[in-house]
Amino acid sequence: MSQKRRKKISRRDIEEALMAQINPSGVSEQKHFLDLINDYMAMWSIKENLIADIKERGAVVPYTSNSGNVNMKKNDSIDQLLKVNAQMLKILSDLGLHPEMEGADDEL
C-alpha cells in the first residue's frame, strides 16, 4: 500500500482560511478571537518544526548518559507534537471552527 505524500500547506493559506471562516460571523473584530488565531498560527509553526525534527532524527534518538554511555531514547518531539496538536484542536473548538473536509471523498 503506497503512502500518500502530505501536501504542503502554507502558513498564509491556513491563516487566510481561519480568517475567512470567522469573518462571515462578524467575530473577527473581537480582539480575543484574533489573538487565538495568532496563538494557533504560532503552534502551527511549532508543529511543523516538531514534524521536521521527527523526520530528520527519527522516533528514537541517541543520548549520552551521566556515565558516558551512549543509549537510545524516544524522541521527545513525538510527545510534544501530540500536545501541540491537542492544544490546536482546543483553539479551533474555542473559535467554533471545524476543518473543511476538502477532498474527503478522494480518501475513501
Side-chain angles (χ1 to χ4, degrees):
M1 177 197 239
S2 67
Q3 184 179 13
K4 287 187 176 183
R5 295 205 76 157
R6 185 175 171 208
K7 182 183 175 187
K8 186 68 174 167
I9 302 170
S10 75
R11 179 185 172 99
R12 171 177 271 152
D13 290 341
I14 292 174
E15 192 165 11
E16 287 175 358
L18 291 174
M19 293 301 289
Q21 287 186 55
I22 66 169
N23 275 339
S25 61
V27 297
S28 66
E29 295 176 15
Q30 298 178 19
K31 296 199 184 300
H32 64 280
F33 284 102
L34 295 175
D35 189 48
L36 282 175
I37 288 177
N38 288 334
D39 289 347
Y40 182 90
M41 295 314 302
M43 288 184 188
W44 181 84
S45 294
I46 292 168
K47 176 190 69 106
E48 292 297 308
N49 290 335
L50 291 168
I51 290 170
D53 178 62
I54 295 166
K55 284 182 180 178
E56 180 181 322
R57 298 191 309 147
V60 181
V61 297
Y63 78 98
T64 304
S65 68
N66 291 338
S67 61
N69 295 329
V70 176
N71 298 309
M72 300 300 280
K73 71 172 191 161
K74 179 177 64 172
N75 186 339
D76 291 334
S77 292
I78 294 171
D79 288 335
Q80 294 304 314
L81 178 61
L82 295 173
K83 291 175 184 178
V84 168
N85 275 331
Q87 192 61 39
M88 289 172 73
L89 289 171
K90 287 179 187 176
I91 290 173
L92 288 178
S93 178
D94 288 347
L95 288 169
L97 304 178
H98 304 284
E100 294 181 14
M101 300 301 288
E102 186 175 312
D105 293 338
D106 298 339
E107 298 286 328
L108 298 177

